[in-house]
Amino acid sequence: AVGDEFANDTTSFVNAISYLQNNPSNKLYNGGTLYIPKGVYKINQELFIQSTGTTTSSSSNNISIKGDGPYSTSLDFSSAPAGSNGIRYQNGANFSIEDIAIFNAPQSGIYLGDIPTSNYCLQFSIKNVQCKSCGIHGINAPLAYLGTIQDCFLNGNGQHGLNLDGFHTSMDVSRVACSSNAGNGFNLNGLVYSSFTACASDQNTYAGYAVSNCNGVTFDGCGCESNQRDGWFLTTSTASTTGIPSESHNIRGVVFNGCVGLFNSQSSAGTYGNFIRATTSDSRPMQFIVNGGSSSSSVAGNT
């Protein structure tokens, strides 16, 4: 691969992934790390990592992707066909994506799961990654558990920065910033016993965090600033439960510890919640707790 911003490096990446997936032939022991040195790599198709074998618990991907940092190693998918993502992992376990930037994917920068999905990605990590200017979401995971998303910057995407919409458990999201996305910064529907720590969501077109059908989820030291709508928008409805298992319906045990809302509801003063707005319909219950934290607005009519 050349990595000079202009050469088509697609074939090099496809061949490298194929090599890792097929050597050795015993698929319990194949895989490895796809290391991408500094450079800007033009890639003209989705990079699809297939599940390669069977572990004791699930199909396994076994391939990790690592660069020299998101401001040194960039993957540019601007010439990829419509309907394709940047990097897509088939449902399976044991992989990571670290130290790269993904730009201009027609759909999501990173997609975890089949399309449509019917099973889970698990035991994975995404660290020190930037997803920018993608057509839909920065990171999209319909079904996942035991996942870590850390130190990521998801900005300028066509819908949400981080989209966890399906069913998720044991997710650890820390120091993730979602900024200037055309939808919500964080779109969270169907999470159970998961945590968000020191996350930021700024200048998004909708809410900083949109939360529905979550149970046993904590936000510790998180903030949202200058979003066009709410800081946090909490909602429950029958319509939002489509495809969500019953154990994650409604909102119960969602806790905000020391969180901050600054200068939100930019698009319409007094219409949205600078810190939290909560609405229910269809007689759906909602229970959440706020411990400490602060709300401050510079927009007249906001509280």
Side-chain angles (χ1 to χ4, degrees), residues 27-244:
K27 296 190 181 299
L28 286 175
Y29 302 102
N30 63 5
T33 298
L34 174 61
Y35 168 62
I36 311 170
K38 65 180 181 179
V40 179
Y41 298 85
K42 291 282 287 186
I43 302 174
N44 295 345
Q45 70 179 57
E46 178 179 274
L47 297 180
F48 180 42
I49 316 297
Q50 295 177 291
S51 297
T52 58
T54 300
T55 66
T56 56
S57 60
S58 66
S59 295
S60 183
N61 299 99
N62 285 344
I63 294 178
S64 294
I65 297 174
K66 183 175 176 60
D68 280 333
Y71 296 98
S72 296
T73 300
S74 300
L75 310 183
D76 181 2
F77 291 90
S78 57
S79 297
S84 59
N85 301 283
I87 298 172
R88 176 162 68 95
Y89 275 85
Q90 191 176 28
N91 299 313
N94 305 315
F95 60 88
S96 66
I97 307 172
E98 299 184 22
D99 301 327
I100 63 171
I102 299 171
F103 295 148
N104 303 317
Q107 291 204 114
S108 297
I110 297 172
Y111 188 103
L112 305 182
D114 291 333
I115 306 174
T117 188
S118 60
N119 211 329
Y120 296 85
C121 283
L122 69 151
Q123 294 172 279
F124 65 88
S125 65
I126 302 173
K127 296 182 179 181
N128 197 28
V129 169
Q130 182 181 22
C131 293
K132 180 179 180 180
S133 302
C134 297
I136 301 184
H137 311 307
I139 298 175
N140 186 18
L143 294 168
Y145 68 98
L146 287 178
T148 297
I149 304 175
Q150 177 181 318
D151 297 329
C152 293
F153 187 35
L154 312 175
N155 62 309
N157 298 293
Q159 291 189 25
H160 312 309
L162 175 60
N163 187 54
L164 302 179
D165 185 1
F167 185 53
H168 305 78
T169 65
S170 300
M171 295 293 293
D172 180 11
V173 182
S174 62
R175 295 187 303 275
V176 172
C178 296
S179 178
S180 302
N181 298 287
N184 303 307
F186 294 75
N187 192 63
L188 311 173
N189 183 34
L191 274 77
V192 179
Y193 47 91
S194 296
S195 66
F196 295 79
T197 306
C199 292
S201 191
D202 305 332
Q203 300 178 337
N204 298 289
T205 301
Y206 293 164
Y209 305 79
V211 180
S212 57
N213 299 304
C214 290
N215 292 265
V217 175
T218 60
F219 294 88
D220 295 304
C222 294
C224 43
E225 182 176 352
S226 301
N227 295 287
Q228 292 298 302
R229 297 186 181 179
D230 311 282
W232 275 270
F233 176 45
L234 278 60
T235 181
T236 58
S237 69
T238 299
S240 68
T241 64
T242 300
I244 305 295

